[in-house]
Amino acid sequence: MEWSTEKRYLPYEKWSAKTLLKLQSQASNSPYQLHYHIRPKSGLLNDPNGFSYFNNEWHVFYQSYPFGPVHGLKSWEHCVSKDLVHWKDLGTAIYPDTELDSHGAYSGSAKVIDNKLFLMYTGNARDAEWIRHPHQMGAFMDKNNHIEKLPNSLIEQPQHTTDHFRDPQILEHNGKYYCILGAQDKATKTGKIALFEAKDIKGPWHDLGYIDFTNEEMGYMIECPNLVFIDEKPVLIFCPQGLDKATVKYENIYPNMVLVGDKFDFKSAQFDSKNPIQNLDDGFDVYATQPFNAPDGKVYALSWVGLPDLTYPTDIENWSGCYSQVKELSLKNGQLIQKPVSTIKNLRQEEVNFTGELETKNQYELKLEVAASQKTTLHIAADEANTESLKLHIDTTNGELILDRQNSGFTVNEKYGTKRAIKLPKNTTLDLDIFVDHSLIEVFVNDGEHVLTARFFPKKGSNKLLIDENIKFKGQYWEMADI
Amino acid sequence: MEWSTEKRYLPYEKWSAKTLLKLQSQASNSPYQLHYHIRPKSGLLNDPNGFSYFNNEWHVFYQSYPFGPVHGLKSWEHCVSKDLVHWKDLGTAIYPDTELDSHGAYSGSAKVIDNKLFLMYTGNARDAEWIRHPHQMGAFMDKNNHIEKLPNSLIEQPQHTTDHFRDPQILEHNGKYYCILGAQDKATKTGKIALFEAKDIKGPWHDLGYIDFTNEEMGYMIECPNLVFIDEKPVLIFCPQGLDKATVKYENIYPNMVLVGDKFDFKSAQFDSKNPIQNLDDGFDVYATQPFNAPDGKVYALSWVGLPDLTYPTDIENWSGCYSQVKELSLKNGQLIQKPVSTIKNLRQEEVNFTGELETKNQYELKLEVAASQKTTLHIAADEANTESLKLHIDTTNGELILDRQNSGFTVNEKYGTKRAIKLPKNTTLDLDIFVDHSLIEVFVNDGEHVLTARFFPKKGSNKLLIDENIKFKGQYWEMADI
């Protein structure tokens, strides 16, 4: 299908209901459909937005283009959960239906203010010359999930940035509101994180300049910046597009980075850190991760498992993208730790002892403890003859773990490599907590010191789980329930 | 909103996707939405269709009009389940998109034939003079849930019926296929059940005449007839519209009846029974119940909880209808017994001892054992001051149980009465198994000897469960999980 600009920006009312019904049923019937992760009802899902707790429920909204696997005219789709695992899709929440968001209700965040959930997002508008005008917009959602947009833009594009100015994260500190935004500096065309301050959520908002967190150049644009506090330390999670690979090594088309700081001063926008900028995820497809400081004192994050400007095998089924499970963030010796949300255990069915070979439904959790000084390969979604599988090469002698999606079914963006490797302590036991959901794998390494997340697309009937060689390991396996 | 005939029959491609998205999110966000029963994604749901087991899953399709709470142009929407409790909506399966079903893909049934699921349904077509032409159509669904319609009508309207000729149930017996259909006799304008026979599912189909199961007149039309076998006894479940209340007492606008037989002869269409025709459900809203003989040897049934030609309070939210939980059918002394499906227990959360008063979420199961010679009222979804509630008046002295929805919130079709009463053995213990799901109640009496099913619409915040008087009872309460 040809996706002209005109077609991508066709108003929702110009599409037919029959087309939408067909897209919805096509997505629901896909063999690659996720069964215990958030997935689009139809079309494309990207950045998580407005991850929050309000009215006794967890909320997250997904960036949605319901009419195909492309980045067309975006809306917000609303999901709610009681336990951070069972999510219910309540449908479209914010439409691109005003002058200020006519070309997309783009990403943003949420905060409980005055018994309502305040949503702040980027209204994307283009004029007759197709020049982009980003408007930072506000909306209030009441306890009936009814949303009212504020009529005016809260923050307009500042003089010092280009029109790449978006993805507001709203924060509160010492009785004031702060907003951090992804930006491209006009003078240098480099990626920045902008900071604004206001006494009243409706403004006026004052420009505090860019957050000073590094002396390195952060590519040409930073998308989806988020600041959270873990053990009172500031942590930045952000996507510096075009980042020089000499600055931080990464292999995906665009990186999702994390920087653990020591101190953040809101007034001066000074972010102090003695730590390096690092990849948030060591797999293939994590982007636009949205963390938030939850009222239960924990820090949770959700990631889009999908990358901008790439295609995926489900495109031919007219849908694309999914979310990671919720991850709980913590710090250990200045390093970010990402663990599976504890309630994911609620999905476990009967425990099975994994002794080296299992027929699966490609919907499971596998906990694997590999002894020191072992070398093996774990085959996921292997076909009958084990000629194709997603491979996890494990070497606890030399301390190496490689996720290898070459020859794992349909190919996925091979241009950006087919392997992702991480270094581990040598001659040490390795703990893996692996979640497979049909076309998604999440590998939590050594209690969350690393995570490797990837989409993969096994051929029909490829559902074996096997481990090579006669090595020392312990395996616990659970089929996971649908949500 | 004015629902002209033209609007009701507007093709799905003429409705806009935006309208559909808004209807879907409006239905999802309704406070009356069902949380552990099948409900429409948008618009109106009515008869269950094609209830079956195929490809390691349970299937049921619902009659769907996605654009409003009215009986417009109908399609089949597909739901699947692994356990008869957790249902997943896979979207529209049969569209009214051929000449033969141009005015609705009406009700029907399913049967596994040659490794596919054969679906048989009524194609409703109207000509330029708006004269109805019912076509009994076939379609095969493969293991990827891909459906191909057969190009021709399998059974055309016979000479001896009017155009009210629909709702085929497909059966197999002694190597032949049988189809029973709801019909209106042309000569007498009375309700009949027609029987057809074929060697090949694609026909030719031979008319075996009407099933002879009663000497009484069965109103002006029988809808949704179904024949199942329980302990080898034939059981007819059917909806005789316009049935004289002197023939069988009933209070709903249209009844859903059951007749337990002794013997059914397919060749002669003779149904022998010594039992009376009885109401299948003693509540307010059950219709179009579809039972089926499952491959596990059990007989399951699902009911539409909603009635033709009536309105419901959710109409203003543009949606209407839901299904009962799956019920397991059995016989005891020639009486039909309907029990909650055993797997419904999987939804139970922590057990709570009900001692007379609880704050609820209107989403629970309550098992209540009331001692003999007691008289009380159970208040469901009561408001703070208990001035409004759905009432269950219990009298184990005189043996009476009354479901009273007067003053239970928003009124529902009061023209057809606000109370439903049943007689019970006097001075005997009463066992109730009560399921509440926001706007639905199902009361199973004495281990399934009676069921009283009803929609009800409590006002916001009415969520107390109370029992009057100091009587002798035992109560077990479980909040129920969402599906």
Side-chain angles (χ1 to χ4, degrees):
Chain A
M1 200 190 285
E2 193 58 58
W3 282 97
S4 63
T5 299
E6 196 190 342
K7 190 170 172 182
R8 282 170 199 247
Y9 288 91
L10 201 63
Y12 286 21
E13 55 269 26
K14 294 279 171 73
W15 287 91
S16 93
K18 186 164 185 181
T19 299
L20 184 66
L21 287 169
K22 292 204 161 187
L23 290 166
Q24 290 179 345
S25 96
Q26 194 178 22
S28 294
N29 281 291
S30 168
Y32 296 114
Q33 202 44 269
L34 292 297
H35 285 233
Y36 66 101
H37 291 80
I38 292 174
R39 55 92 169 180
K41 213 150 71 178
S42 66
L44 181 136
L45 157 157
N46 58 309
D47 311 353
N49 296 159
F51 191 16
S52 54
Y53 186 80
F54 168 65
N55 196 21
N56 305 314
E57 284 185 314
W58 301 96
H59 299 258
V60 72
F61 301 80
Y62 63 81
Q63 278 283 293
S64 168
Y65 179 63
F67 303 109
V70 297
H71 291 269
L73 186 58
K74 297 285 174 68
S75 53
W76 282 35
E77 182 101 0
H78 189 192
C79 297
V80 293
S81 174
K82 297 284 186 198
D83 64 358
L84 290 167
V85 170
H86 292 87
W87 292 96
K88 193 178 288 193
D89 192 329
L90 296 182
T92 313
I94 300 181
Y95 291 89
D97 61 359
T98 71
E99 210 176 304
L100 298 175
D101 57 14
S102 58
H103 290 68
Y106 279 8
S107 289
S109 59
K111 186 158 192 55
V112 180
I113 295 177
D114 297 338
N115 275 316
K116 290 190 176 178
L117 190 66
F118 179 72
L119 309 172
M120 192 162 175
Y121 70 100
T122 301
N124 185 51
R126 289 191 182 263
D127 62 20
E129 279 74 48
W130 205 247
I131 293 169
R132 185 203 294 273
H133 299 280
H135 306 288
Q136 310 312 321
M137 300 179 65
F140 281 100
M141 187 176 84
D142 67 19
K143 292 190 174 180
N144 297 317
N145 296 337
H146 180 77
I147 292 174
E148 293 273 3
K149 293 182 187 179
L150 296 176
N152 302 313
S153 170
L154 300 180
I155 306 175
E156 282 300 282
Q157 180 187 331
Q159 289 292 328
H160 58 83
T161 78
T162 69
D163 60 350
H164 289 292
F165 178 66
R166 58 179 172 265
D167 310 335
Q169 185 206 12
I170 189 90
L171 295 159
E172 203 176 344
H173 174 74
N174 275 353
K176 284 193 177 159
Y177 293 110
Y178 292 86
C179 180
I180 76 168
L181 287 132
Q184 180 179 59
D185 182 57
K186 189 182 265 171
T188 60
K189 299 288 188 297
T190 56
K192 296 290 181 188
I193 300 175
L195 182 68
F196 285 74
E197 180 192 74
K199 277 187 200 156
D200 187 307
I201 195 74
K202 295 182 188 176
W205 283 87
H206 304 291
D207 188 347
L208 300 182
Y210 299 130
I211 294 180
D212 181 13
F213 67 98
T214 178
N215 296 322
E216 303 281 359
E217 226 171 62
M218 286 290 112
Y220 57 80
M221 170 63 187
I222 290 178
E223 290 196 307
C224 303
N226 284 278
L227 175 64
V228 286
F229 292 85
I230 310 179
D231 302 340
E232 293 177 21
K233 301 284 186 202
V235 177
L236 267 181
I237 289 176
F238 59 107
C239 300
Q241 292 191 321
L243 178 68
D244 190 333
K245 286 174 179 167
T247 307
V248 186
K249 189 173 169 289
Y250 67 94
E251 293 171 272
N252 296 345
I253 182 170
Y254 302 118
N256 199 161
M257 293 291 174
V258 59
L259 175 61
V260 177
D262 297 308
K263 211 179 112 199
F264 180 65
D265 184 65
F266 279 88
K267 282 287 163 208
S268 63
Q270 187 62 41
F271 185 102
D272 295 330
S273 173
K274 290 186 289 288
N275 298 303
I277 292 171
Q278 289 183 304
N279 283 289
L280 179 66
D281 189 282
D282 294 298
F284 292 91
D285 300 287
V286 153
Y287 197 75
T289 301
Q290 186 165 75
F292 95 105
N293 280 98
D296 63 3
K298 297 191 175 172
V299 185
Y300 298 108
L302 253 178
S303 306
W304 172 30
V305 190
L307 286 164
D309 299 343
L310 297 184
T311 59
Y312 286 87
T314 58
D315 288 6
I316 58 163
E317 295 176 346
N318 300 311
W319 70 279
S320 175
C322 69
Y323 284 165
S324 71
Q325 65 176 285
V326 172
K327 292 166 280 196
E328 191 184 327
L329 308 187
S330 57
L331 292 179
K332 194 169 114 187
N333 308 325
Q335 277 289 121
L336 186 74
I337 302 292
Q338 303 175 70
K339 294 187 187 182
V341 67
S342 64
T343 42
I344 198 90
K345 291 190 179 77
N346 298 344
L347 300 181
R348 289 177 179 170
Q349 305 298 296
E350 212 181 326
E351 184 176 329
V352 172
N353 188 19
F354 174 62
T355 58
E357 183 168 346
L358 270 177
E359 198 84 32
T360 80
K361 289 177 179 162
N362 289 339
Q363 184 175 330
Y364 57 84
E365 178 186 355
L366 174 70
K367 277 181 92 100
L368 204 64
E369 190 188 309
V370 180
S373 313
Q374 307 289 323
K375 194 171 172 177
T376 190
T377 296
L378 181 73
H379 297 267
I380 289 146
D383 62 355
E384 198 54 41
N386 198 16
T387 55
E388 280 192 347
S389 66
L390 178 70
K391 290 165 196 71
L392 209 50
H393 302 298
I394 299 166
D395 180 347
T396 54
T397 306
N398 300 304
E400 197 172 49
L401 183 72
I402 300 169
L403 180 62
D404 177 1
R405 72 176 174 188
Q406 192 163 34
N407 207 24
S408 66
F410 295 96
T411 59
V412 201
N413 301 309
E414 293 203 320
K415 187 181 163 191
Y416 297 93
T418 58
K419 292 182 178 65
R420 293 293 183 267
I422 57 170
K423 287 285 168 203
L424 301 167
K426 293 182 185 183
N427 295 314
T428 307
T429 298
L430 172 67
D431 275 314
L432 299 175
D433 197 356
I434 300 167
F435 295 85
V436 169
D437 190 1
H438 299 271
S439 59
L440 172 68
I441 183 165
E442 297 169 284
V443 182
F444 292 85
V445 182
N446 287 337
D447 220 8
E449 287 179 4
H450 294 269
V451 191
L452 296 94
T453 304
R455 298 299 302 274
F456 71 110
F457 300 87
K459 304 241 173 85
K460 200 178 167 171
S462 295
N463 60 7
K464 278 183 175 286
L465 174 65
L466 308 161
I467 198 160
D468 279 351
E469 316 293 342
N470 194 6
I471 61 146
K472 282 188 215 156
F473 74 95
K474 275 193 283 193
Q476 293 164 282
Y477 169 100
W478 299 267
E479 199 176 293
M480 297 296 262
D482 284 19
I483 61 166
Chain B
M1 197 192 284
E2 193 57 59
W3 282 97
S4 63
T5 299
E6 197 189 342
K7 190 169 173 183
R8 283 171 198 247
Y9 287 90
L10 202 62
Y12 285 23
E13 56 268 24
K14 294 280 172 73
W15 286 91
S16 95
K18 185 163 186 182
T19 299
L20 184 65
L21 287 169
K22 292 205 161 187
L23 290 166
Q24 289 179 345
S25 97
Q26 193 177 22
S28 293
N29 280 291
S30 166
Y32 296 114
Q33 203 44 269
L34 290 296
H35 285 234
Y36 66 100
H37 290 79
I38 292 175
R39 54 90 167 181
K41 215 149 72 179
S42 67
L44 180 137
L45 156 157
N46 58 310
D47 309 353
N49 296 158
F51 190 16
S52 53
Y53 186 79
F54 169 64
N55 196 19
N56 305 313
E57 284 185 315
W58 301 96
H59 299 259
V60 72
F61 301 80
Y62 62 81
Q63 279 283 294
S64 168
Y65 179 64
F67 303 110
V70 296
H71 291 269
L73 187 58
K74 297 285 174 68
S75 53
W76 282 36
E77 181 102 358
H78 188 190
C79 296
V80 293
S81 175
K82 298 282 187 199
D83 64 358
L84 290 168
V85 170
H86 293 88
W87 292 95
K88 194 177 290 191
D89 192 328
L90 296 182
T92 312
I94 301 181
Y95 291 89
D97 60 1
T98 70
E99 210 177 303
L100 297 177
D101 57 14
S102 58
H103 289 70
Y106 279 7
S107 289
S109 59
K111 182 155 197 58
V112 180
I113 296 178
D114 296 337
N115 275 316
K116 292 192 173 175
L117 190 66
F118 179 72
L119 309 172
M120 192 163 175
Y121 70 100
T122 302
N124 185 50
R126 288 190 182 265
D127 62 22
E129 279 74 47
W130 204 248
I131 292 168
R132 184 203 295 270
H133 301 278
H135 306 287
Q136 309 313 321
M137 300 179 66
F140 281 99
M141 187 176 85
D142 68 18
K143 291 189 174 181
N144 297 317
N145 295 337
H146 179 75
I147 291 174
E148 293 273 3
K149 293 182 188 177
L150 297 177
N152 302 312
S153 171
L154 300 181
I155 305 175
E156 282 299 282
Q157 179 187 329
Q159 289 293 330
H160 57 83
T161 78
T162 69
D163 60 349
H164 289 292
F165 177 67
R166 58 179 172 266
D167 310 336
Q169 185 207 10
I170 189 92
L171 296 159
E172 204 178 342
H173 175 73
N174 276 352
K176 286 195 178 158
Y177 294 110
Y178 292 86
C179 180
I180 77 169
L181 288 132
Q184 181 179 58
D185 181 59
K186 190 182 263 172
T188 61
K189 300 286 187 300
T190 56
K192 298 288 179 187
I193 300 176
L195 182 68
F196 285 73
E197 181 193 70
K199 278 187 199 157
D200 187 308
I201 195 75
K202 294 181 188 176
W205 284 86
H206 304 290
D207 188 346
L208 300 183
Y210 298 130
I211 294 181
D212 181 13
F213 65 98
T214 177
N215 296 322
E216 303 280 357
E217 226 171 64
M218 285 289 113
Y220 57 79
M221 170 64 187
I222 289 178
E223 289 196 307
C224 302
N226 284 278
L227 175 64
V228 285
F229 291 85
I230 310 177
D231 303 340
E232 294 176 20
K233 300 284 185 202
V235 176
L236 266 180
I237 290 176
F238 59 107
C239 299
Q241 292 192 321
L243 178 68
D244 190 333
K245 286 175 179 166
T247 306
V248 186
K249 192 172 167 290
Y250 67 94
E251 293 172 272
N252 296 347
I253 182 172
Y254 303 117
N256 199 162
M257 293 290 172
V258 58
L259 174 62
V260 177
D262 297 306
K263 211 179 115 204
F264 180 63
D265 184 66
F266 280 87
K267 283 288 163 206
S268 63
Q270 186 62 39
F271 185 101
D272 295 329
S273 174
K274 289 185 290 286
N275 298 301
I277 293 170
Q278 289 183 304
N279 283 288
L280 179 66
D281 189 282
D282 294 298
F284 291 92
D285 299 290
V286 154
Y287 197 74
T289 300
Q290 186 166 74
F292 96 105
N293 281 96
D296 64 1
K298 296 189 175 174
V299 185
Y300 299 109
L302 255 176
S303 306
W304 172 29
V305 190
L307 286 164
D309 300 343
L310 297 184
T311 60
Y312 285 88
T314 58
D315 288 6
I316 58 162
E317 295 175 346
N318 299 311
W319 70 281
S320 175
C322 69
Y323 284 164
S324 71
Q325 65 177 284
V326 172
K327 292 165 278 193
E328 191 185 327
L329 308 188
S330 56
L331 292 179
K332 193 169 114 188
N333 308 326
Q335 276 291 119
L336 187 74
I337 302 293
Q338 301 176 71
K339 293 186 186 182
V341 66
S342 64
T343 42
I344 198 91
K345 291 191 178 77
N346 298 345
L347 300 181
R348 288 177 179 171
Q349 305 297 295
E350 212 179 327
E351 183 174 330
V352 172
N353 187 15
F354 175 62
T355 56
E357 183 166 349
L358 271 178
E359 198 84 32
T360 80
K361 290 176 178 160
N362 290 338
Q363 184 174 331
Y364 57 82
E365 179 186 354
L366 174 69
K367 277 180 92 100
L368 205 64
E369 188 188 310
V370 181
S373 313
Q374 307 289 321
K375 194 172 173 177
T376 190
T377 296
L378 181 73
H379 298 267
I380 289 147
D383 62 356
E384 199 51 44
N386 198 13
T387 55
E388 278 191 348
S389 67
L390 179 70
K391 290 164 197 74
L392 208 51
H393 303 297
I394 298 165
D395 182 345
T396 54
T397 306
N398 299 303
E400 196 171 49
L401 183 72
I402 300 169
L403 180 62
D404 175 1
R405 72 176 174 188
Q406 190 164 37
N407 208 24
S408 66
F410 294 95
T411 58
V412 200
N413 301 310
E414 294 202 320
K415 187 181 162 192
Y416 297 94
T418 59
K419 292 182 177 69
R420 293 291 183 267
I422 57 170
K423 286 285 168 203
L424 301 166
K426 293 182 183 185
N427 295 313
T428 307
T429 299
L430 172 68
D431 274 314
L432 299 175
D433 196 357
I434 300 167
F435 296 85
V436 169
D437 190 0
H438 299 272
S439 59
L440 172 68
I441 184 166
E442 296 169 284
V443 181
F444 292 84
V445 181
N446 288 337
D447 220 8
E449 288 180 3
H450 295 269
V451 191
L452 295 93
T453 304
R455 299 299 302 275
F456 71 110
F457 301 88
K459 303 241 174 84
K460 201 179 165 166
S462 294
N463 57 7
K464 277 183 176 285
L465 174 64
L466 307 161
I467 198 160
D468 279 351
E469 317 294 342
N470 194 6
I471 60 145
K472 281 190 216 157
F473 73 96
K474 276 193 282 190
Q476 292 164 284
Y477 169 99
W478 300 266
E479 200 176 289
M480 297 297 261
D482 283 20
I483 62 165

